[in-house]
């Protein structure tokens, strides 16, 4: 029995300093009675796209290749049509990683290394419009909004919808909270493995942006979207642990970790 599968290919473009998320949809047919269980990356073909439209190629030689690296089942399926999100790396036509493909630099998956990300963001009322709550409707300064409830916060319905959206799509999102500034929120997501952690973060951002289309708002990751004011900016704390840290720990081990981190501090800044 032929079953139609909707694949939404997702990748990062070549814009600097921060790439944008891109996507396009491909419909395939597979011979399966139950496409949910046996479905895998093997069912997802490589697919070309116009890199000259994403700052990833020149117009005279514009083909770039999407190589699927991870799939997420979309439970919102209709009848005989099943749907998956397909996270992709960008490759050159000769099969080598594209210069914008920073995921390829990670190397092999290290399942022992766990990461937890705390992604902060602002919600704008729309493109080129004020941050939610800052269009003259609210005069309070920050202070009452962090983990606040009631009229002191805005955007909760959208945030909780994103949480549900991620959980139903298999994203390991672990929590949310209102942040210090009005219209600012945070979600936490983790991954058990270097590549899995990155993939979870990127897809959770993608779902946030997809949901913003429905609500008519804009997601703002800029570190200081409210300018040179006392209002907080956004960042993303990154937590990590290894098996040794989780199961043994001890002052000597952590002092050595701090020493190595300190020696590379200026480089990473």
């Amino acid at each position: 029995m032929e079953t139609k599968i909707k694949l939404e290919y997702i990748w990062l473009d070549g814009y600097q300093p921060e790439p944008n998320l891109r996507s396009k949809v491909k419909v395939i047919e597979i011979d399966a009675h139950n496409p949910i269980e046996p479905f895998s990356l093997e069912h997802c073909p490589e697919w070309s796209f116009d890199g000259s439209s994403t700052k990833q190629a020149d117009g005279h030689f514009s083909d770039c290749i999407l190589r699927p690296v991870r799939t997420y089942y979309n439970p919102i399926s209709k009848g005989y049509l099943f749907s998956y999100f397909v996270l992709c790396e960008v490759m050159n036509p000769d099969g080598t990683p594209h210069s914008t493909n920073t995921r390829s630099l990670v190397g092999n998956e290290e399942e022992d290394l766990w990461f937890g990300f705390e992604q902060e963001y602002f919600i704008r009322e729309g493109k080129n419009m004020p941050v939610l709550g800052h269009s003259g409707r609210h005069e309070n300064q920050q202070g009452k909004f962090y983990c606040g409830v009631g009229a002191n916060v805005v955007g909760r319905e959208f945030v909780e919808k994103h949480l549900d959206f991620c959980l139903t799509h298999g994203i390991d999102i672990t929590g949310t909270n209102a942040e210090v500034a009005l219209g600012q929120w945070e979600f936490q997501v983790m991954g058990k493995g270097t590549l899995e952690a990155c993939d979870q973060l990127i897809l959770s951002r993608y779902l946030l942006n997809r949901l913003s289309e429905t609500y008519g708002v804009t997601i703002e990751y800029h570190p200081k979207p409210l300018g040179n004011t006392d209002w907080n900016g956004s960042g993303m704390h990154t937590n990590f642990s290894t098996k040794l840290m989780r199961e043994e720990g001890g002052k000597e081990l952590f002092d050595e970790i701090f020493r190595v981190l300190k020696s590379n501090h200026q480089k990473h800044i």
Side-chain angles (χ1 to χ4, degrees):
M1 178 180 68
E2 293 294 326
T3 303
K4 290 186 181 296
I5 309 288
K6 184 176 78 170
L7 305 177
E8 186 157 353
Y9 283 51
I10 301 164
W11 75 98
L12 289 168
D13 67 17
Y15 277 68
Q16 296 292 333
E18 183 69 22
N20 303 290
L21 283 157
R22 305 277 184 152
S23 75
K24 64 175 184 171
V25 173
K26 185 179 190 68
V27 178
I28 65 171
E29 289 186 349
I30 64 172
D31 185 11
H33 292 284
N34 182 359
I36 300 176
E37 294 299 330
F39 193 82
S40 68
L41 284 174
E42 296 178 359
H43 294 102
C44 304
E46 292 187 352
W47 196 14
S48 64
F49 71 95
D50 176 14
S52 67
S53 297
T54 61
K55 291 186 182 274
Q56 289 169 300
D58 295 325
H60 66 278
F61 191 65
S62 62
D63 275 358
C64 290
I65 306 298
L66 296 175
R67 175 175 293 176
V69 295
R70 200 179 299 274
T71 62
Y72 295 86
Y73 176 59
N74 182 358
I76 308 173
S77 301
K78 300 177 181 179
Y80 60 85
L81 180 64
F82 292 84
S83 178
Y84 292 84
F85 292 115
V86 183
L87 200 61
C88 300
E89 288 188 357
V90 177
M91 314 298 288
N92 296 310
D94 63 3
T96 58
H98 192 274
S99 60
T100 60
N101 181 358
T102 54
R103 185 185 187 275
S104 66
L105 303 177
V106 176
N108 295 327
E109 181 77 277
E110 293 185 37
E111 296 181 357
D112 173 51
L113 190 54
W114 297 3
F115 287 93
F117 300 109
E118 303 174 33
Q119 177 68 72
E120 296 177 336
Y121 64 95
F122 281 80
I123 306 173
R124 285 195 179 275
E125 295 179 3
K127 186 177 181 181
N128 300 322
M129 293 179 67
V131 168
L132 206 62
H134 289 264
S135 55
R137 297 188 293 108
H138 209 299
E139 298 179 357
N140 287 356
Q141 295 299 303
Q142 63 187 22
K144 298 181 180 180
F145 309 115
Y146 175 71
C147 296
V149 295
N152 287 326
V153 297
V154 292
R156 187 182 302 277
E157 179 184 350
F158 171 80
V159 170
E160 292 191 344
K161 191 71 174 179
H162 174 246
L163 171 63
D164 295 342
F165 207 19
C166 286
L167 291 175
T168 57
H169 287 77
I171 302 298
D172 196 3
I173 191 168
T174 58
T176 66
N177 61 269
E179 265 301 332
V180 174
L182 179 65
Q184 184 188 33
W185 289 81
E186 174 186 297
F187 67 86
Q188 301 91 40
V189 63
M190 76 163 296
K192 296 180 179 180
T194 46
L195 292 172
E196 180 185 339
C198 299
D199 295 346
Q200 295 268 15
L201 175 64
I202 293 301
L203 193 66
S204 62
R205 287 178 179 175
Y206 177 76
L207 295 179
L208 191 69
N209 288 346
R210 277 290 301 272
L211 192 62
S212 73
E213 298 175 9
T214 301
Y215 280 78
V217 297
T218 300
I219 304 304
E220 176 70 85
Y221 297 111
H222 192 283
K224 287 292 284 185
L226 297 176
N228 187 23
T229 66
D230 289 335
W231 288 99
N232 260 35
S234 291
M236 186 181 72
H237 289 117
T238 301
N239 309 281
F240 74 94
S241 69
T242 65
K243 184 176 181 181
L244 190 63
M245 292 167 64
R246 293 188 294 271
E247 297 185 359
E248 297 186 26
K251 184 176 186 302
E252 184 177 340
L253 170 64
F254 281 92
D255 281 345
E256 176 62 14
I257 291 172
F258 300 149
R259 184 193 67 79
V260 175
L261 289 174
K262 182 179 179 180
S263 68
N264 286 279
H265 178 72
Q266 288 302 320
K267 174 183 176 181
H268 291 301
I269 287 292

